[in-house]
Amino acid sequence: MDHAPAIAHALAGVGPRLKRLRTERGVTLTALAEATGISKSTLSRLESGGRRPSLELLLPISQAHQVPLDELVGAPEVGDPRVRLTPRKGNNATVLPLTRQPGPLQSFKMILPATRSTPELCTHEGYEWMYVLAGRLRLVLADHDVVLGPGEVAEFDTRLPHWFGSTGEAPVEVLSIFGRQGERMHVRAKPAARRESAG
């Protein structure tokens, strides 16, 4: 049985698939080149079909995007579809990375224990958006000291002195979106402003 046509078809689809995967995730060729060690020109030629895909090129790209190699070559999906994320522990918190590709914005789920209740302010480059999933989050930001409950959101420039943790009563679960270079989330759809009642 001749598999050559099927192989040629699969290889021809790799370039467009690579470009679609990268653009859907908002990753530039420059960022992908830095993450993979592959030159921008080679990546561009791969996406346009001017360079034949090889394992040496596809493996670093699959690792950078954190997707299976099968997804890059369009192999049929098999096996367990569940994604097993690996939590990291440190700084008196459990952090579960949710973003699986390089890019300006990274998202995390954080579980902050009740023992993380003594403010230790810090500053660094970036911009952070936080959504409280469960518990009560204490946020100290410059001169402000606020407590947020489930469903409440805070956003701030991390160059300001800040700290966040528990109120000391119970653990807190938080969704965090962080831009290392100060990137912010862009809201494309906003609720219409309420009209003032006449009279």
Side-chain angles (χ1 to χ4, degrees):
M1 187 175 181
D2 186 7
H3 295 288
I7 293 171
H9 179 74
L11 290 177
V14 170
R17 195 173 291 110
L18 290 175
K19 185 170 186 176
R20 185 172 62 250
L21 182 65
R22 179 179 61 78
T23 54
E24 282 176 353
R25 296 178 176 212
V27 179
T28 64
L29 279 173
T30 301
L32 188 58
E34 289 175 1
T36 60
I38 301 169
S39 71
K40 279 175 60 178
S41 62
T42 298
L43 290 170
S44 179
R45 285 165 52 218
L46 261 178
E47 290 183 358
S48 67
R51 175 74 183 259
R52 186 177 175 89
S54 65
L55 274 178
E56 289 79 9
L57 296 172
L58 294 180
L59 281 173
I61 295 172
S62 72
Q63 289 172 345
H65 286 309
Q66 294 187 359
V67 298
L69 191 59
D70 289 356
E71 190 171 325
L72 297 185
V73 296
E77 190 173 318
V78 293
D80 190 343
R82 290 175 293 181
V83 176
R84 292 175 173 82
L85 301 173
T86 305
R88 298 193 305 245
K89 294 194 176 185
N91 199 20
N92 200 16
T94 300
V95 179
L96 191 66
L98 301 177
T99 308
R100 302 180 64 212
Q101 70 277 341
L105 293 174
Q106 298 292 308
S107 59
F108 308 89
K109 179 180 178 182
M110 294 188 287
I111 302 171
L112 313 174
T115 53
R116 179 170 162 149
S117 58
T118 303
E120 296 178 10
L121 276 69
C122 67
T123 60
H124 52 85
E125 286 293 322
Y127 197 86
E128 189 146 12
W129 183 93
M130 306 185 86
Y131 176 86
V132 182
L133 297 167
R136 286 160 51 83
L137 177 76
R138 182 181 176 196
L139 172 64
V140 180
L141 180 63
D143 297 329
H144 301 280
D145 191 336
V146 296
V147 174
L148 291 85
E152 291 191 291
V153 178
E155 61 175 321
F156 54 93
D157 187 326
T158 56
R159 291 175 298 181
L160 292 171
H162 65 281
W163 171 90
F164 53 86
S166 167
T167 57
E169 304 160 330
V172 187
E173 292 186 23
V174 177
L175 179 66
S176 167
I177 299 177
F178 178 67
R180 296 185 187 279
Q181 304 300 324
E183 300 89 351
R184 302 186 185 196
M185 288 197 310
H186 296 287
V187 180
R188 293 193 177 188
K190 296 183 180 179
R194 289 186 301 177
R195 294 179 181 174
E196 295 293 332
S197 56

